[in-house]
Amino acid sequence: MIAIGCDHAGVELKKAVIAYLTEKGFEMKDMGTDGEPCDYPNMAETVCGLVTSGECEKGILICGTGIGMSMAANKIKGIRAALCSDAFSTKYTRLHNDANVMCMGARVLGPGLASELAEIFLTTGFEGGRHQRRIDLITALENK
Ligand code: RB5
């Protein structure tokens, strides 16, 4: 199950991404907003909570730029959120950073690119090895 949420700036892009990923066979848990005004830190908390609890394996957050969502998500223990706007970074944030949440900007990306980036994010595995040590160091920073 993949958790997804947006603020009021991201509603149309979120719908497009859900339609694409559902068609590809992913099960999506849509946490809103469906249009009503929404403060992005609250949505980041909701979606990230589903990831840290294990109810959802990954999360997708969409706001106007993706930046506010990523700032908020990365304050949450256990979350490694990546702001994604190109295929290379999206692939490598899974391979090297084991990112568990992706953030995108609805005022930055079109629906075609955003949907493909989401698919890359959800289908690329973590490489482990030396990268695990660095993830452990991120976790240690979180616990300081
Ligand atoms: C909302 O207008 C906008 O500030 C928000 O969607 C986001 O871009 C913040 O980072």
Side-chain angles (χ1 to χ4, degrees):
M1 180 82 80
I2 308 300
I4 187 165
C6 64
D7 72 358
H8 45 278
V11 177
E12 291 311 311
L13 186 64
K14 185 191 66 174
K15 281 186 198 162
V17 169
I18 290 175
Y20 180 90
L21 292 176
T22 302
E23 176 70 29
K24 293 281 176 184
F26 292 97
E27 222 184 317
M28 306 299 294
K29 192 173 180 72
D30 182 359
M31 303 310 293
T33 176
D34 296 322
E36 58 281 9
C38 164
D39 292 328
Y40 60 82
N42 294 331
M43 182 54 67
E45 186 177 19
T46 299
V47 165
C48 291
L50 291 167
V51 175
T52 55
S53 72
E55 193 175 324
C56 292
E57 53 186 273
K58 295 213 172 44
I60 300 175
L61 289 167
I62 300 171
C63 64
T65 58
I67 295 172
M69 284 292 195
S70 58
M71 286 179 169
N74 277 313
K75 298 289 181 195
I76 297 168
K77 225 177 160 119
I79 294 299
R80 290 178 301 281
L83 175 58
C84 297
S85 52
D86 69 276
F88 184 86
S89 307
T90 302
K91 178 178 169 187
Y92 277 86
T93 199
R94 287 290 310 124
L95 288 171
H96 289 186
N97 314 127
D98 198 16
N100 49 11
V101 170
M102 87 179 299
C103 303
M104 294 189 285
R107 295 172 179 154
V108 180
L109 302 174
L113 178 57
S115 299
E116 287 200 12
L117 294 181
E119 186 179 8
I120 291 169
F121 187 80
L122 297 177
T123 56
T124 306
F126 176 48
E127 227 172 61
R130 68 190 188 280
H131 302 295
Q132 183 58 55
R133 185 178 71 248
R134 293 157 187 165
I135 301 306
D136 294 342
L137 287 167
I138 293 177
T139 304
L141 284 177
E142 206 171 58
N143 291 326
K144 264 188 186 171

